[in-house]
Amino acid sequence: MTQFNFDKHTTREGTYSVQYDGTEALFGQTGLAPFWIADMDIQTPEVIRDAIKARLDNGIFGYTMWQNERFYGPIKHWWKTRFNVELDNDNIHYAASVLYTVGEVIRQVTEEGDGVILTTPSYNSFPNLIKGNDRKIVESPLIYDAEVKEYFLDVEGFTKLCEDDSVTLYIHCNPHNPTGKVWSKTELETIKGICQDNNVYLISDEIHMDFVRPKEDFVSMVSLINENDPVLITTGLGKSFNLASLPHSYFLTKDRNITQDINKAMGGRYNVNTASSLALAAIEAAYNECGEWMDELNVYIEGNFKYISDYIDEHLADDLSFDIPKATYLGWISFEKSGLDADLVHKALVEIGGIAVSPGKLYLDHENKHFRFNAASPRYRIEDGLERIRKTFEQIK
Ligand SMILES: Cc1ncc(COP(=O)(O)O)c(C=O)c1O
């Protein structure tokens, strides 16, 4: 018996959602069926909405502190019960967003012109942040093993890049957006070792951590760090509970220097060191009470991916290939088989299909032979999206 209804339709038009109302910049038009940016067409759990309402009823939303047990407690509870990881208050820090934290670490641990490694394909905001801070993108292309249908780090190539003195930071993504790769403990140990041997700072962005199926397969970099290791883990509830517009995130580290530097910047430079009172109410309810919701949501998303995979096998096998990802709600779908020109495909998806999926080139997928399809929606939307894709490929052939 399932407790939660993920099939429910919720109107998002008119909420100024980027997913619906913000397609013009990237796709040249509005009114598309959107499956691109990483938020969900699934409501935040009722328990969280009730907690936000209760906080609203207080009626005062003045400056709010996060340095207290109502912030630390739920985070420690979640990590212990979900991932069997013990955290200490000392190692948990609030920050306005995951990307704020990544940007700040870039500014703190690298110099202008330094190289920052990304494993490509890469989540598109990382290259933007590197360029936006006048650092250099250094690519370590992941290797796709068609036999096991998985992406792997090119360990030799990655080591060589780290050995270059001008390379000072690696931004790791676990689970990996857009491929859905879940990194094993051995892979994480290898990466951490190479970075440390070469004085390359390591950020691990784990914002998709709650979408690992099964959840026991998730290994956080936090379980590998020792006192003062040059490693910082950043995460939040934006993806897990669809809270991206409530400013919040938190980072985990045992590096006292970076903690001090970031806290100094949040206080002195930007004055963003107090928390959103609504976000704190949401975190408390989510992390104390929403484990079962998260488990059921993952079952639902797995069902969506199975549907997508079966649909492709039945109707689009000549053009598309797709491996169900072990994590995230993002499908990384290849149209290499179709032999069609990438720009033509992306244009046709918009103009014929009326659908917004993220083009591979955003993720430094240089051949641009993939698109990223967001599967965190009620099933009827997934069915509609796939019909749009089918219509597109039928008409351009
Ligand atoms: C890997 C990754 N990191 C960070 C973010 C954004 O996090 P935030 O909104 O907290 O900056 C996203 C959103 O898609 C993401 O996929």
Side-chain angles (χ1 to χ4, degrees):
M1 252 294 278
T2 51
Q3 279 188 61
F4 306 101
N5 177 12
F6 300 112
D7 286 321
K8 187 176 162 221
H9 167 78
T10 307
T11 303
R12 297 185 68 192
E13 285 89 348
T15 62
Y16 295 107
S17 90
V18 177
Q19 182 83 269
Y20 280 78
D21 298 329
T23 51
E24 181 102 40
L26 187 59
F27 301 97
Q29 63 185 81
T30 50
L32 301 171
F35 295 87
W36 61 295
I37 205 165
D39 66 16
M40 304 199 277
D41 263 44
I42 288 170
Q43 284 185 332
T44 295
E46 198 172 353
V47 177
I48 301 179
R49 287 183 278 135
D50 285 345
I52 294 171
K53 284 181 203 158
R55 182 65 190 81
L56 276 176
D57 283 344
N58 171 267
I60 294 179
F61 310 102
Y63 296 112
T64 300
M65 289 167 61
W66 54 268
Q67 298 90 339
N68 57 70
E69 209 49 36
R70 284 184 76 172
F71 175 67
Y72 299 127
I75 294 174
K76 287 186 292 187
H77 173 75
W78 189 256
W79 280 78
K80 177 68 194 155
T81 54
R82 306 290 296 179
F83 311 125
N84 201 21
V85 170
E86 305 265 1
L87 298 174
D88 289 337
N89 293 6
D90 278 359
N91 304 330
I92 306 172
H93 307 270
Y94 170 90
S97 77
V98 166
L99 292 176
Y100 166 83
T101 309
V102 174
E104 195 51 39
V105 176
I106 292 175
R107 286 187 288 277
Q108 296 289 352
V109 305
T110 70
E111 304 284 337
E112 255 182 58
D114 278 6
V116 178
I117 302 177
L118 298 175
T119 43
T120 54
S122 159
Y123 168 50
N124 54 315
S125 291
F126 296 150
N128 291 344
L129 279 179
I130 295 169
K131 283 185 288 184
N133 283 290
D134 302 312
R135 272 61 168 174
K136 219 173 68 200
I137 299 163
V138 176
E139 292 185 40
S140 177
L142 292 172
I143 298 169
Y144 182 70
D145 182 335
E147 218 159 280
V148 291
K149 300 184 170 176
E150 219 186 303
Y151 284 87
F152 291 96
L153 184 76
D154 168 9
V155 176
E156 209 177 303
F158 181 79
T159 309
K160 280 215 181 81
L161 296 176
C162 288
E163 282 167 357
D164 179 336
D165 286 344
S166 71
V167 169
T168 49
L169 173 67
Y170 166 48
I171 305 174
H172 184 64
C173 190
N174 180 27
H176 187 258
N177 174 3
T179 66
K181 177 179 172 66
V182 178
W183 301 83
S184 71
K185 186 168 183 226
T186 314
E187 287 175 310
L188 295 179
E189 282 168 343
T190 304
I191 288 168
K192 180 171 179 270
I194 298 169
C195 288
Q196 271 180 266
D197 288 348
N198 293 286
N199 294 321
V200 170
Y201 204 92
L202 174 57
I203 297 178
S204 183
D205 178 338
E206 302 185 357
I207 196 169
H208 294 275
M209 68 189 190
D210 291 314
F211 295 98
V212 176
R213 296 171 291 272
K215 69 178 189 305
E216 289 72 20
D217 284 358
F218 174 63
V219 183
S220 170
M221 194 60 88
V222 82
S223 60
L224 304 183
I225 55 174
N226 301 310
E227 222 35 55
N228 285 317
D229 274 352
V231 179
L232 179 141
I233 294 91
T234 170
T235 189
L237 292 75
K239 303 291 154 214
S240 312
F241 301 100
N242 218 11
L243 297 168
S245 66
L246 287 190
H248 80 282
S249 77
Y250 58 94
F251 65 90
L252 306 170
T253 186
K254 293 186 179 174
D255 177 351
R256 302 292 147 220
N257 292 331
I258 197 80
T259 304
Q260 215 178 16
D261 291 343
I262 294 180
N263 286 336
K264 213 163 110 191
M266 290 207 299
R269 192 184 301 160
Y270 310 113
N271 208 330
V272 290
N273 55 351
T274 60
S276 153
S277 50
L278 298 184
L280 290 189
I283 292 171
E284 195 175 8
Y287 274 180
N288 283 338
E289 298 180 64
C290 293
E292 279 179 34
W293 182 90
M294 199 70 238
D295 291 338
E296 271 195 34
L297 176 60
N298 270 300
V299 171
Y300 190 84
I301 287 170
E302 186 74 22
N304 281 354
F305 279 131
K306 175 86 173 62
Y307 183 89
I308 294 168
S309 178
D310 290 348
Y311 188 98
I312 289 176
D313 286 350
E314 198 177 330
H315 302 290
L316 284 155
D318 291 342
D319 294 319
L320 303 186
S321 38
F322 171 61
D323 308 327
I324 294 180
K326 296 204 169 81
T328 80
Y329 51 69
L330 307 164
W332 186 237
I333 300 177
S334 164
F335 55 87
E336 192 165 7
K337 264 195 208 165
S338 73
L340 291 164
D341 175 70
D343 290 335
L344 179 81
V345 169
H346 292 303
K347 196 162 173 276
L349 284 164
V350 173
E351 290 178 1
I352 300 172
I355 184 172
V357 291
S358 304
K361 67 177 169 204
L362 285 185
Y363 307 92
L364 305 180
D365 175 42
H366 297 294
E367 285 166 2
N368 201 12
K369 289 289 159 91
H370 288 83
F371 56 85
R372 199 189 72 172
F373 182 93
N374 180 338
S377 274
R379 188 75 41 88
Y380 78 89
R381 282 200 75 236
I382 303 291
E383 291 168 12
D384 174 61
L386 288 166
E387 277 160 30
R388 288 168 184 273
I389 292 169
R390 180 181 175 184
K391 183 172 140 199
T392 306
F393 279 90
E394 273 172 7
Q395 289 199 23
I396 48 175
K397 294 208 93 169

